Amino acid sequence: VFNWFYRIIERTGHYPAPKGYKSFEQKQLQRERQLIEEREKRIQELKEIHCKKWEQERDLEFWEMMNNPKGELYKECYARLNSFQRDFKNGKMFEMAMVKAFDEIMLERDKDKVVGDKES
């Protein structure tokens, strides 16, 4: 047995590790990779939740505006429409035009908030 063991070490320079063997360092690296993957997955889930929440808030705001034609935001969106878009008082074309105007207004307001926050 000792001769066999000595012959393997003499040929290869070391004794080969058993099949499936992982050193402490390899196990530690594997654990770190798993932690990183779990964190990335959690971050992605949180991003998706945040985006979905933001989209829902905007949709809710838009439809509340559309159901209140006497409101300031509705009037502001309507004022941005051209005469062709205003002719479609109801329907998909009008809705799409209002969505576009609404998004532009919200984008401007968001920019104003960011600029206002930076100045403070």
Side-chain angles (χ1 to χ4, degrees):
V1 174
F2 290 113
N3 288 336
W4 175 79
F5 181 72
Y6 179 73
R7 203 72 168 135
I8 289 175
I9 292 176
E10 189 177 56
R11 282 188 207 151
T12 61
H14 68 286
Y15 185 76
K19 191 173 187 173
Y21 173 80
K22 291 182 181 178
S23 68
F24 175 76
E25 186 177 309
Q26 289 170 326
K27 289 177 185 177
Q28 196 173 16
L29 285 172
Q30 187 178 9
R31 274 189 240 116
E32 291 294 325
R33 283 189 195 107
Q34 286 175 339
L35 283 173
I36 289 171
E37 288 174 11
E38 288 172 7
R39 285 181 184 160
E40 286 176 346
K41 185 178 178 183
R42 177 136 169 85
I43 289 168
Q44 186 62 34
E45 288 174 0
L46 290 171
K47 279 182 184 179
E48 289 172 4
I49 289 170
H50 178 76
C51 289
K52 192 71 169 173
K53 183 179 173 183
W54 182 83
E55 288 172 9
Q56 286 179 344
E57 287 173 1
R58 281 289 164 101
D59 283 346
L60 180 63
E61 224 174 322
F62 174 77
W63 288 109
E64 284 176 349
M65 178 215 47
M66 289 296 284
N67 287 320
N68 184 13
K70 294 181 180 168
E72 289 297 317
L73 186 57
Y74 184 94
K75 290 176 184 175
E76 192 176 344
C77 289
Y78 191 77
R80 289 184 181 225
L81 303 181
N82 61 37
S83 60
F84 177 73
Q85 292 169 327
R86 289 180 186 167
D87 289 341
F88 295 105
K89 189 66 176 166
N90 291 320
K92 279 290 184 192
M93 294 293 288
F94 180 73
E95 182 182 315
M96 288 170 49
M98 288 294 280
V99 166
K100 185 176 182 230
F102 177 79
D103 288 340
E104 290 171 357
I105 291 169
M106 289 299 153
L107 186 62
E108 290 170 7
R109 289 183 181 180
D110 289 344
K111 284 182 182 178
D112 290 343
K113 284 181 186 177
V114 171
V115 170
D117 290 344
K118 287 182 179 179
E119 291 177 356
S120 296

